[in-house]
Amino acid sequence: MHQRFEQHSEIPSTDPLVIIQAADQAGQVTALQDYLDHFQVRQPGIIPIKTPDRLVMVKTTTIILAEVQAATLMVYTVDGVVETRETLRHLVERLGSPDFVQVSKHSVLNLDHLLSLEDSFSGNMTAALTNQLKTAVSRKYVKLLMQRLGI
């Protein structure tokens, strides 16, 4: 990746204009755009998760995996499991961190808790996570996961 600074007095330094030039919008370009989208957005250290009977405060660094089972979102942490009716999409938006990667239509994992990946059948993979958790990585999401891992 190359970079260059051009000074333009009409563009304020508090709101710079970033232009990305490449042959196509893939690979590092997409990762860079994601990074820029989240630049200066304060990542929450703790997020509240509403359960049927209370509001649980969860440290985002302790979240290993979030997975939809039936109509319930299971949030697996290093301390246990929190069940909620929140949608997976809404949780990912609230997390707002590039460390959380969608690996199937029904699950998102935290890269900080990913231990290994194994080939599975039909182009799918299996992700081994901390706390002896495993989840399937759909072949539709394998490419995105590899990009996030820098592979």
Side-chain angles (χ1 to χ4, degrees), residues 9-80:
S9 59
E10 65 276 3
I11 300 174
S13 60
T14 56
D15 189 24
L17 171 66
V18 178
I19 298 171
I20 302 169
Q21 296 178 336
D24 57 42
Q25 189 175 358
Q28 284 191 339
V29 172
T30 304
L32 182 56
Q33 287 176 309
D34 288 342
Y35 175 79
L36 290 172
D37 286 342
H38 294 98
F39 182 73
Q40 287 189 325
V41 174
R42 187 172 183 271
Q43 305 301 327
I46 296 177
I47 62 166
I49 297 178
K50 187 173 178 15
T51 68
D53 58 346
R54 66 182 185 219
L55 198 59
V56 180
M57 299 300 163
V58 177
K59 290 182 180 179
T60 57
T61 57
T62 67
I63 297 174
I64 301 168
L65 173 71
E67 187 170 64
V68 176
Q69 294 179 4
T72 303
L73 179 62
M74 310 293 283
V75 180
Y76 296 90
T77 71
V78 295
D79 302 317

Side-chain angles (χ1 to χ4, degrees), residues 67-128:
E67 187 170 64
V68 176
Q69 294 179 4
T72 303
L73 179 62
M74 310 293 283
V75 180
Y76 296 90
T77 71
V78 295
D79 302 317
V81 182
V82 179
E83 296 182 24
T84 183
R85 302 288 288 180
E86 182 176 0
T87 65
L88 182 62
R89 172 181 238 155
H90 187 251
L91 177 68
V92 171
E93 287 173 4
R94 290 194 313 130
L95 289 168
S97 170
D99 293 334
F100 291 91
V101 179
Q102 188 150 7
V103 293
S104 74
K105 184 177 175 183
H106 304 287
S107 60
V108 169
L109 62 79
N110 184 344
L111 291 176
D112 292 334
H113 291 278
L114 179 62
L115 300 175
S116 66
L117 290 166
E118 296 177 15
D119 287 329
S120 191
F121 62 94
S122 305
N124 294 344
M125 299 187 91
T126 300

